[in-house]
C-alpha cells in the first residue's frame, strides 16, 4: 500500500479518534523511523515516551522471540515466574512494596483510584473517597481517569461524569488548601505535566502537598506514566522532585513497546485489595513481563537514567542557544532529562510541520509547545541536527514579536 491508500482505508475502517500525522511508518530501528518511500526520520518522540531503548532493540526482539516459544499467556489464575521477578525488581526501584500489573496507563491510574477508595473504606474505615488533581494534567481516557484529567476538552460529551473528583489550578497553593475536606482521600499528580506542555510543580506547591500528606493523612499518587523509567533523569521523577508518593503508576516505556501498566504501592495500602476485588485478563502476562525485565536490565547496564540526565541538560543548553539566535521566537525551554518542552511565542503548527518535512518527528502540545521525548539512547549528533533545523525554521517563520 502507498501512503494515500493507507490514509483512505484508515478513514474508512477506523474510528476517527486520532489526529494522525501525515506519515505512515513502515519500519523503525534505533532512533530512526522509515516511511513507505524509505525516507528516514529522526525520532524525537519514541512513540510518546515508549521506546526508551530505541526501536526494535536486538535484545528486546530476542527476549520476545524466546519467551513466545516458552509461554505467552496463561492467566492470573496461575503463578508465573516472569511476573514475580518483575514485581521484585520494580519495587526495588522505589519505596513501594507491591505491584499490580495491567495493560495501559489509564488502567494503572484507574487501579490507583479504586485502591485509594477501598483502602479508605475497608482499612481506615473513613468516608474519604475524593481525589484532587490539577489543571493541565492528563491521567487517561477511561471514565474515572478522564474525570481526573484537568483538561475540559478530554471530557467533552462524556457526561455525566463520576463523582468524587476535584480539580485545582496547578501551583495554586491556596486553592489546593481550600479544596481539601474531610472527604479527601488522595492527590494524584504528574511530577512534570507531559500532555499539559512540560509544566513543573512549583517548590511551594510541592511543600503544600507534603504538608497535606503529613498533617491531613492524604495519600499521594504519582502518575509516572510519562515521567518514569529514567525519562526525566532520575528513575522516577518523584525521586528528584521531592515528592514522596504512596502509590506510583507506570506504563508507556515499561515493556519496551509492548502494552503494559503497573501500579506500585505500599504494603499497608495494598492490603485493601483481596482476591477478586480487582484484576485484568492480560495483566503481567509472561511475554510482556519478560520484555519489561530485559528493559530494566539494559537500562541498568547502560546507565540510561544518568545518560538521560546528562543528554537532556546538554540539549536544553543547546536549545537556549537557538532561542538566543532567534529572538522573539521561543518563550521558554522547560523539562528535565529527556523530557523537554520548547514553548514558542506563537502557535507552532507550521513550525512542527516544517520540522517533520525536514525529517524530525516530534510532537506539538497545547498549541505552542514543541515536545521532545526521544529514546534515552539518542545520539547527541541527532539533537545537534534537530537544533540546526529548528534554528533554520524559526529564523524563517513568523515570530509573533
Ligand atoms: C501522565 C499520563 N498519565 C496517563 C496516561 C494514559 O496512558 P495510556 O494512554 O497508556 O492509557 C498518559 C498517556 O499519555 C500520560 O501521559
Amino acid at each position: 500500500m502507498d501512503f494515500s491508500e493507507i490514509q483512505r482505508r484508515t478513514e474508512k475502517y477506523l474510528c476517527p479518534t486520532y489526529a494522525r500525522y501525515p506519515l505512515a511508518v513502515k519500519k523503525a530501528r534505533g532512533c530512526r523511523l522509515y516511511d513507505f518511500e524509505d525516507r528516514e526520520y529522526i525520532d524525537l518522540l519514541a512513540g510518546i515516551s515508549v521506546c526508551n531503548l530505541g526501536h526494535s532493540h536486538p535484545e528486546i526482539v530476542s527476549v520476545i522471540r524466546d519467551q513466545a516459544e516458552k509461554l505467552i499467556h496463561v492467566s492470573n489464575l496461575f503463578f508465573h515466574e516472569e511476573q514475580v521477578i518483575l514485581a521484585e525488581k520494580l519495587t526495588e526501584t522505589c519505596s513501594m512494596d507491591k505491584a499490580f500489573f495491567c495493560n495501559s496507563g489509564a488502567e494503572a491510574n484507574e487501579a490507583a483510584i479504586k485502591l485509594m477508595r477501598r483502602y479508605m473504606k475497608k482499612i481506615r474505615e473513613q468516608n474519604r473517597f475524593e481525589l484532587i488533581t490539577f489543571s493541565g494534567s492528563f491521567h487517561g481516557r477511561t471514565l474515572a481517569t478522564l474525570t481526573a484529567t484537568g483538561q475540559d476538552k478530554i471530557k467533552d460529551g462524556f457526561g455525566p461524569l463520576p463523582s468524587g473528583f476535584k480539580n485545582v489550578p496547578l501551583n495554586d497553593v491556596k486553592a489546593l488548601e481550600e479544596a481539601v475536606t474531610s472527604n479527601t482521600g488522595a492527590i494524584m499528580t504528574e511530577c512534570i505535566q507531559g500532555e499539559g506542555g512540560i509544566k513543573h510543580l512549583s517548590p511551594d506547591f510541592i511543600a503544600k502537598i507534603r504538608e497535606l500528606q503529613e498533617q491531613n493523612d492524604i495519600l499521594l499518587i504519582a502518575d509516572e506514566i510519562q515521567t518514569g523509567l529514567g525519562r526525566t533523569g532520575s528513575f522516577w521523577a518523584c525521586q528528584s522532585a521531592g515528592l514522596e508518593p504512596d502509590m506510583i503508576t507506570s506504563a508507556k516505556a515499561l515493556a519496551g513497546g509492548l502494552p503494559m501498566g503497573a501500579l506500585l504501592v505500599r504494603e499497608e495500602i495494598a492490603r485493601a485489595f483481596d482476591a477478586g476485588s480487582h484484576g485484568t485478563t492480560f495483566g503481567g502476562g509472561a511475554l510482556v513481563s519478560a520484555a519489561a525485565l530485559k528493559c530494566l536490565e539494559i537500562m541498568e547496564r547502560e546507565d540510561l537514567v544518568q545518560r538521560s540526565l546528562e543528554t537532556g541538560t546538554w540539549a536544553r543548553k543547546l536549545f537556549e542557544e537557538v532561542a538566543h539566535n532567534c529572538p522573539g521566537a521561543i518563550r521558554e525551554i522547560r523539562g528535565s532529562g529527556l523530557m523537554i518542552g520548547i514553548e514558542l511565542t506563537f502557535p507552532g503548527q507550521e513550525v512542527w510541520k516544517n520540522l517533520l518535512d525536514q525529517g524530525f518527528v516530534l510532537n506539538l502540545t497545547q498549541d505552542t509547545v514543541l515536545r521532545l521525548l526521544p529514546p534515552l539512547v539518542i545520539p547527541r549528533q541527532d539533537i545537534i541536527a534537530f537544533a540546526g533545523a529548528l534554528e533554520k525554521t524559526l529564523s524563517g517563520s513568523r515570530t509573533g514579536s
Side-chain angles (χ1 to χ4, degrees):
M1 275 192 261
D2 64 9
F3 174 67
S4 56
E5 178 69 359
I6 295 171
Q7 193 179 29
R8 187 186 67 74
R9 284 160 70 171
T10 299
E11 278 161 20
K12 186 161 176 350
Y13 292 108
L14 281 136
C15 289
T17 48
Y18 303 105
R20 294 181 200 265
Y21 297 172
L23 170 62
V25 180
K26 186 172 164 194
K27 66 173 188 186
R29 288 284 178 285
C31 300
R32 295 285 184 280
L33 303 179
Y34 299 87
D35 69 11
F36 277 66
E37 281 148 15
D38 292 325
R39 198 176 159 214
E40 187 177 279
Y41 296 78
I42 292 182
D43 186 7
L44 299 167
L45 193 57
I48 320 188
S49 197
V50 168
C51 307
N52 279 4
L53 309 177
H55 296 271
S56 296
H57 189 292
E59 287 177 66
I60 299 294
V61 172
S62 153
V63 80
I64 290 173
R65 193 177 290 132
D66 293 349
Q67 185 62 45
E69 299 263 0
K70 209 163 79 173
L71 174 68
I72 296 178
H73 172 82
V74 69
S75 146
N76 284 310
L77 289 174
F78 302 90
F79 291 97
H80 38 105
E81 190 183 9
E82 295 77 14
Q83 182 182 102
V84 72
I85 302 174
L86 180 62
E88 274 173 27
K89 292 242 182 292
L90 278 174
T91 52
E92 276 165 18
T93 62
C94 54
S95 51
M96 301 296 155
D97 305 301
K98 287 207 149 64
F100 170 81
F101 292 115
C102 50
N103 313 288
S104 69
E107 251 190 285
N109 283 339
E110 187 87 21
I113 297 166
K114 281 180 71 178
L115 182 56
M116 173 275 282
R117 288 188 172 191
R118 202 168 153 95
Y119 166 69
M120 290 298 175
K121 188 161 273 170
K122 301 263 179 193
I123 309 258
R124 286 224 208 144
E125 298 182 343
Q126 292 173 333
N127 193 32
R128 297 174 66 164
F129 53 87
E130 218 162 64
L131 183 76
I132 296 180
T133 57
F134 305 130
S135 62
S137 62
F138 183 78
H139 298 296
R141 305 270 188 176
T142 61
L143 264 187
T145 58
L146 76 81
T147 308
T149 290
Q151 301 183 52
D152 288 343
K153 64 178 185 202
I154 305 290
K155 307 176 204 229
D156 187 28
F158 295 117
L161 301 176
S163 56
F165 294 81
K166 262 190 193 165
N167 197 259
V168 164
L170 181 72
N171 292 333
D172 187 334
V173 172
K174 193 158 170 284
L176 174 56
E177 200 167 43
E178 285 169 3
V180 172
T181 68
S182 56
N183 295 134
T184 308
I187 292 169
M188 179 157 81
T189 187
E190 298 157 85
C191 297
I192 300 173
Q193 289 187 349
E195 303 295 320
I198 316 295
K199 298 230 175 86
H200 296 255
L201 273 60
S202 70
D204 285 358
F205 205 58
I206 288 172
K208 178 51 74 183
I209 292 172
R210 298 211 46 180
E211 186 190 306
L212 290 170
Q213 279 180 274
E214 277 157 34
Q215 294 181 6
N216 299 51
D217 267 344
I218 289 171
L219 301 184
L220 176 64
I221 303 166
D223 177 342
E224 294 259 18
I225 286 154
Q226 195 165 137
T227 52
L229 302 164
R231 170 57 54 196
T232 67
S234 47
F235 195 95
W236 302 108
C238 59
Q239 291 164 335
S240 53
L243 287 167
E244 284 203 17
D246 302 283
M247 303 191 220
I248 291 177
T249 55
S250 176
K252 288 199 182 280
L254 194 51
L258 298 186
M260 183 175 222
L263 163 67
L264 305 172
V265 58
R266 292 193 203 287
E267 171 78 43
E268 193 218 339
I269 302 168
R271 282 195 295 125
F273 273 160
D274 51 22
S277 57
H278 192 57
T280 173
T281 297
F282 291 114
L287 186 71
V288 284
S289 295
L293 272 171
K294 186 53 81 177
C295 284
L296 292 179
E297 184 193 313
I298 297 168
M299 272 180 74
E300 195 177 336
R301 190 185 69 216
E302 299 187 4
D303 207 5
L304 290 186
V305 177
Q306 185 62 19
R307 182 157 164 185
S308 166
L309 182 69
E310 286 169 13
T311 312
T313 306
W314 166 85
R316 285 197 306 283
K317 277 202 199 108
L318 188 66
F319 301 149
E320 291 293 353
E321 282 172 34
V322 174
H324 181 261
N325 296 340
C326 306
I330 294 178
R331 174 165 293 130
E332 195 179 22
I333 291 152
R334 297 188 289 268
S336 183
L338 282 169
M339 181 173 192
I340 302 177
I342 302 172
E343 184 172 0
L344 304 176
T345 54
F346 56 96
Q349 186 69 22
E350 229 175 272
V351 170
W352 168 82
K353 177 64 171 51
N354 202 318
L355 288 164
L356 183 67
D357 291 342
Q358 293 178 67
F360 297 93
V361 169
L362 56 146
N363 168 240
L364 180 73
T365 181
Q366 305 297 321
D367 276 347
T368 54
V369 183
L370 299 172
R371 180 171 52 154
L372 275 62
L373 302 161
L376 305 187
V377 294
I378 188 103
R380 291 192 179 196
Q381 220 40 50
D382 287 354
I383 296 178
I384 291 171
F386 166 72
L390 179 65
E391 184 164 327
K392 193 173 95 189
T393 307
L394 290 178
S395 305
S397 73
R398 185 174 71 84
T399 64
S401 59

